[in-house]
Structure formats: C-alpha cells, structure tokens
Amino acid sequence: INQVMKFIFEDLDLHYSLLPTRDAVGTFRTRQGNCLSFVNLFVGVARAKSLNPFYIEVTDYTRWNHRAGMVVSQRHIVAGMYLDGELKTYDFLPYRPKAYKKFNPIDDVTAAAHFYNNLGAEALMDGDLAKARELLTLATRIQPKLDKALNNLGVVLARSGDWDGALATYQKGLALDAANPMILTNVARVYQQTGRAGEADKVLSQVEETNNTNPFFYVYQGEVALSRGDEDKALDYMVKALRLDSEAPEVHVGFVKVYLAVGDMEKARHHLERALQLDATNPEALRFATMLGK
C-alpha cells in the first residue's frame, strides 16, 4: 500500500480537475481527474499489486448542482481497503478536511453505474441532451437502484418536454428513497411547469423542513430566488447558508452572484477571494475571477 500511495500521490503528480470524469487509464495519461477518476486509478493500481480495494459512497452534506431550475445529482466516491481489520479510506478532494457522516461500500457494478451517471450529468450540464440521455439510460440499466441516475434521467426528460416521462422516472427514484430532496425538488419543478402550483408548494415545504441544516440547500434556494429577480430573498438564503457553513466555497460563490446582481462589486470581490482561498479549483469561482479580472 505504501508503494501504491507513493506512486499515485508523489510520482504521478496528479492534479485535481472537476471535469471530465476519467477512467483509470485516462487519469494516468492526463495526470488529472476528479474524485471518481482518482478512485478508478487507485483501485486499478492497487489490484494490480494484489491488494483488495473497493469503491465507497460517502455521505456528507448534499451538494445541490442547480441548472435551469432543476437539480443534477452526483455522489462523492472514495477508495476503501481493510488493513489489519480496519477500514481505511483514500480521498482526492483539493480543499479542507472532510467529515463524512456515512460510508457505504459498493460493488464494481454500482461503481460503473456511478461512472456513467457522472458522464451523463456532465453532458446534461453541457446541454447535450441526446448524449446525456444515452449515458444516463445506460447507468440505470447497469444499476436500476441508483437514485442519482434516475434523478438525472428525469431532468433530461423534463428538459425535453416529456413531463409525464420525467415524473414516472422520478417516482422510480422516490420508491428507493421517498425523502430524496433533489428528486422531490425536481418533481416540484415539473408541477410548476405544468400549472400544478399547489402541489409544487406542498412538495417544496416538505423539502425545506428536512433540509434546514444543509447549507447547500439554501445556496440552491438563493439561486432560484435570484433567477426570479428577488435579490433580497436570495441574500437572506445565502446568509442562512453562511451561518451553517462558512468554510464551503459554494456558499461564497453564492454571495458573489447576489452581490454582482445588486452591483456591490466590493463585497462580490471579497467573497470571490474567500471562495478561491477555500478551493482554488472551483470552476464557478474561476469563471467569476476571469470575469472580474482577478
């Protein structure tokens, strides 16, 4: 294991890159990757050395990836291995110590579904709905119980105007996790888009009640408020997020968006600097840094 750690963390000079998700060979060749890319490489190299690593889903705060009113889902993955009967985990995130609430070892089939879910989510965020649908359908066929892939496939269907198909797909996800906040939020979005405002409000109230300690939920709510032109409400949500976690770069990026909207450049720059201090690789922070000439 020491040889594997030296090879990956020292000899390769790996650099964190959020996009795209790469397989083990792609990560090795480019020397870049996100958390799942890194785990693919770690597992491959460690197994080549006759070790027995595996993939682990971890639960911390749910991060809300907001795109055009809907939430795209990706789960953080780390590598795991039992050494002297004790579970050890190996992570590759570029900022701040992590305090995960739960570890869930998964098999290679589920890990493969996560891989295609990541690729599908990336295509979705790039606006390539055809590619996203193909990849996410593959993910759900590999592992029909992967609620993240079902959520994202529902988003693709909703974006394509297939509201009934989206709701049917979301219901498959809710059958696995009835309180899934991202799927419920997307269900509410479909209700809003199809004139069922009362049902949408009821679902959103349910989501807020169960996510009132999640800073990323308030960042999401702030972005939704901002998209509707309600800067005061957006700022209120960002303040709530900051009170829950002042060390999350996404919270400070949220403040950047609000202060840019109201024209307060000084405060926008302050929060941008803080976001980059916490995570120099954050793509949204880097985009705003370019915009603001930092």
Side-chain angles (χ1 to χ4, degrees):
I1 188 62
N2 289 336
Q3 291 176 352
V4 170
M5 296 292 285
K6 181 179 182 301
F7 175 72
I8 291 179
F9 284 103
E10 298 179 21
D11 299 347
L12 288 185
D13 189 30
L14 288 177
H15 294 273
Y16 185 84
S17 175
L18 182 63
L19 301 172
T21 300
R22 295 179 169 92
D23 60 16
V25 173
T27 305
F28 173 78
R29 286 178 175 168
T30 63
R31 305 296 201 265
Q32 293 183 336
N34 56 21
C35 65
L36 182 52
S37 307
F38 161 76
V39 177
N40 287 334
L41 178 63
F42 183 96
V43 169
V45 171
R47 287 180 181 174
K49 285 291 184 181
S50 300
L51 297 171
N52 188 30
F54 44 87
Y55 293 82
I56 296 180
E57 293 177 339
V58 296
T59 302
D60 54 359
Y61 285 125
T62 300
R63 280 170 159 76
W64 295 66
N65 201 331
H66 177 222
R67 290 293 184 277
M70 291 188 170
V71 187
V72 180
S73 305
Q74 292 171 284
R75 174 64 60 83
H76 184 48
I77 304 291
V78 302
M81 193 183 313
Y82 283 102
L83 296 177
D84 297 325
E86 182 179 354
L87 175 64
K88 300 289 187 180
T89 60
Y90 305 91
D91 202 350
F92 187 45
L93 271 178
Y95 68 94
R96 76 189 183 94
K98 276 71 70 175
Y100 301 128
K101 294 185 288 186
K102 184 178 178 182
F103 293 95
N104 178 36
I106 58 176
D107 58 27
D108 286 2
V109 171
T110 303
H114 274 285
F115 178 73
Y116 288 108
N117 177 59
N118 269 27
L119 294 179
E122 290 163 15
L124 174 56
M125 289 185 281
D126 282 341
D128 190 340
L129 294 183
K131 183 178 180 182
R133 183 168 185 167
E134 178 184 355
L135 290 164
L136 293 168
T137 299
L138 178 57
T140 60
R141 287 176 177 170
I142 292 172
Q143 178 48 275
K145 294 183 178 181
L146 187 61
D147 56 351
K148 298 290 184 291
L150 289 166
N151 175 72
N152 294 341
L153 182 56
V155 172
V156 170
L157 295 171
R159 293 270 185 87
S160 303
D162 183 359
W163 306 114
D164 291 338
L167 285 174
T169 303
Y170 292 145
Q171 289 304 322
K172 290 180 182 178
L174 292 173
L176 301 170
D177 180 7
N180 186 301
M182 292 189 175
I183 296 179
L184 288 171
T185 300
N186 287 334
V187 167
R189 179 64 174 172
V190 171
Y191 287 159
Q192 290 171 341
Q193 295 288 84
T194 54
R196 299 160 67 176
E199 292 172 271
D201 290 342
K202 183 178 180 180
V203 172
L204 288 175
S205 296
Q206 176 186 346
V207 174
E208 185 157 7
E209 286 175 7
T210 57
N211 282 270
N212 57 14
T213 62
N214 183 347
F216 300 100
F217 171 72
Y218 288 116
V219 172
Y220 163 77
Q221 289 285 63
E223 292 191 356
V224 171
L226 197 59
S227 70
R228 295 173 177 168
D230 191 344
E231 290 88 357
D232 290 339
K233 189 67 173 177
L235 183 58
D236 179 58
Y237 279 126
M238 296 306 172
V239 170
K240 289 180 179 178
L242 187 68
R243 287 172 179 165
L244 290 170
D245 192 345
S246 63
E247 300 297 300
E250 295 91 340
V251 172
H252 293 280
V253 171
F255 274 104
V256 172
K257 295 175 182 178
V258 174
Y259 285 126
L260 284 176
V262 299
D264 192 333
M265 300 300 293
E266 182 178 352
K267 290 183 178 178
R269 290 179 184 276
H270 166 76
H271 284 283
L272 178 58
E273 289 177 3
R274 184 61 181 143
L276 290 170
Q277 287 172 357
L278 291 165
D279 179 9
T281 70
N282 185 286
E284 283 201 294
L286 291 171
R287 178 170 62 86
F288 283 117
T290 300
M291 181 190 306
L292 297 175
K294 294 186 68 64

